Short mmCIF file of all heavy atoms in Angstrom, two decimals:
data_model
loop_
_atom_site.label_atom_id
_atom_site.label_comp_id
_atom_site.label_asym_id
_atom_site.label_seq_id
_atom_site.Cartn_x
_atom_site.Cartn_y
_atom_site.Cartn_z
N TYR A 1155 12.05 -21.91 -21.69
CA TYR A 1155 12.68 -20.59 -21.82
C TYR A 1155 13.67 -20.54 -22.96
O TYR A 1155 13.81 -19.52 -23.63
CB TYR A 1155 13.29 -20.17 -20.47
CG TYR A 1155 12.23 -19.52 -19.61
CD1 TYR A 1155 11.19 -20.28 -19.09
CD2 TYR A 1155 12.22 -18.14 -19.37
CE1 TYR A 1155 10.18 -19.69 -18.35
CE2 TYR A 1155 11.21 -17.55 -18.64
CZ TYR A 1155 10.19 -18.33 -18.13
OH TYR A 1155 9.17 -17.74 -17.41
N LEU A 1156 14.38 -21.66 -23.19
CA LEU A 1156 15.30 -21.69 -24.34
C LEU A 1156 14.52 -21.48 -25.63
O LEU A 1156 14.98 -20.83 -26.55
CB LEU A 1156 16.04 -23.02 -24.41
CG LEU A 1156 17.30 -23.18 -23.58
CD1 LEU A 1156 17.99 -24.49 -23.95
CD2 LEU A 1156 18.27 -22.02 -23.75
N GLN A 1157 13.30 -22.06 -25.65
CA GLN A 1157 12.51 -22.00 -26.89
C GLN A 1157 11.88 -20.63 -27.12
O GLN A 1157 11.93 -20.10 -28.21
CB GLN A 1157 11.42 -23.07 -26.87
CG GLN A 1157 11.97 -24.43 -27.27
CD GLN A 1157 11.09 -25.57 -26.79
OE1 GLN A 1157 9.97 -25.38 -26.34
NE2 GLN A 1157 11.62 -26.79 -26.88
N PHE A 1158 11.28 -20.05 -26.07
CA PHE A 1158 10.51 -18.83 -26.34
C PHE A 1158 11.28 -17.53 -26.14
O PHE A 1158 10.97 -16.53 -26.76
CB PHE A 1158 9.23 -18.80 -25.48
CG PHE A 1158 9.36 -17.97 -24.24
CD1 PHE A 1158 9.03 -16.62 -24.26
CD2 PHE A 1158 9.85 -18.51 -23.06
CE1 PHE A 1158 9.18 -15.83 -23.12
CE2 PHE A 1158 10.00 -17.73 -21.94
CZ PHE A 1158 9.67 -16.39 -21.96
N SER A 1159 12.29 -17.55 -25.24
CA SER A 1159 12.82 -16.25 -24.79
C SER A 1159 13.91 -15.69 -25.68
O SER A 1159 14.31 -14.55 -25.52
CB SER A 1159 13.37 -16.38 -23.37
OG SER A 1159 14.56 -17.15 -23.40
N ARG A 1160 14.39 -16.47 -26.63
CA ARG A 1160 15.49 -16.07 -27.52
C ARG A 1160 16.73 -15.68 -26.70
O ARG A 1160 17.49 -14.80 -27.08
CB ARG A 1160 15.05 -14.95 -28.45
CG ARG A 1160 13.92 -15.42 -29.38
CD ARG A 1160 13.17 -14.29 -30.01
NE ARG A 1160 13.99 -13.56 -30.96
CZ ARG A 1160 13.91 -12.24 -31.14
NH1 ARG A 1160 13.05 -11.54 -30.45
NH2 ARG A 1160 14.67 -11.65 -32.02
N LYS A 1161 16.90 -16.32 -25.55
CA LYS A 1161 18.09 -16.09 -24.72
C LYS A 1161 19.02 -17.27 -24.88
O LYS A 1161 18.57 -18.40 -25.12
CB LYS A 1161 17.73 -15.98 -23.24
CG LYS A 1161 16.77 -14.87 -22.91
CD LYS A 1161 17.46 -13.55 -22.84
CE LYS A 1161 16.52 -12.43 -22.51
NZ LYS A 1161 16.78 -11.21 -23.25
N LYS A 1162 20.30 -17.00 -24.74
CA LYS A 1162 21.25 -18.09 -24.66
C LYS A 1162 22.25 -17.77 -23.55
O LYS A 1162 22.38 -16.59 -23.18
CB LYS A 1162 21.96 -18.28 -26.01
CG LYS A 1162 22.64 -17.05 -26.53
CD LYS A 1162 23.23 -17.34 -27.88
CE LYS A 1162 24.21 -16.26 -28.25
NZ LYS A 1162 24.95 -16.49 -29.45
N PRO A 1163 22.92 -18.77 -22.99
CA PRO A 1163 23.82 -18.49 -21.87
C PRO A 1163 24.86 -17.42 -22.27
O PRO A 1163 25.31 -17.44 -23.40
CB PRO A 1163 24.49 -19.83 -21.60
CG PRO A 1163 23.52 -20.85 -22.16
CD PRO A 1163 22.88 -20.19 -23.33
N PRO A 1164 25.17 -16.49 -21.39
CA PRO A 1164 24.66 -16.35 -20.04
C PRO A 1164 23.30 -15.65 -19.99
O PRO A 1164 23.15 -14.56 -20.53
CB PRO A 1164 25.73 -15.47 -19.36
CG PRO A 1164 26.29 -14.63 -20.47
CD PRO A 1164 26.19 -15.46 -21.72
N PHE A 1165 22.34 -16.29 -19.34
CA PHE A 1165 21.05 -15.64 -19.11
C PHE A 1165 20.42 -16.21 -17.84
O PHE A 1165 20.80 -17.29 -17.37
CB PHE A 1165 20.11 -15.83 -20.32
CG PHE A 1165 19.40 -17.15 -20.33
CD1 PHE A 1165 18.07 -17.25 -19.91
CD2 PHE A 1165 20.04 -18.30 -20.77
CE1 PHE A 1165 17.40 -18.48 -19.91
CE2 PHE A 1165 19.38 -19.53 -20.77
CZ PHE A 1165 18.07 -19.62 -20.36
N GLY A 1166 19.44 -15.46 -17.31
CA GLY A 1166 18.85 -15.88 -16.03
C GLY A 1166 17.34 -15.93 -16.08
O GLY A 1166 16.70 -15.29 -16.93
N ILE A 1167 16.77 -16.72 -15.17
CA ILE A 1167 15.31 -16.77 -14.97
C ILE A 1167 15.07 -16.44 -13.49
O ILE A 1167 15.67 -17.06 -12.61
CB ILE A 1167 14.73 -18.16 -15.31
CG1 ILE A 1167 15.11 -18.56 -16.74
CG2 ILE A 1167 13.21 -18.16 -15.14
CD1 ILE A 1167 14.66 -19.97 -17.14
#
Side-chain angles (χ1 to χ4, degrees):
Y1155 275 69
L1156 275 189
Q1157 279 159 12
F1158 98 90
S1159 71
R1160 297 162 68 216
K1161 300 281 180 220
K1162 55 183 195 174
F1165 82 101
I1167 305 176

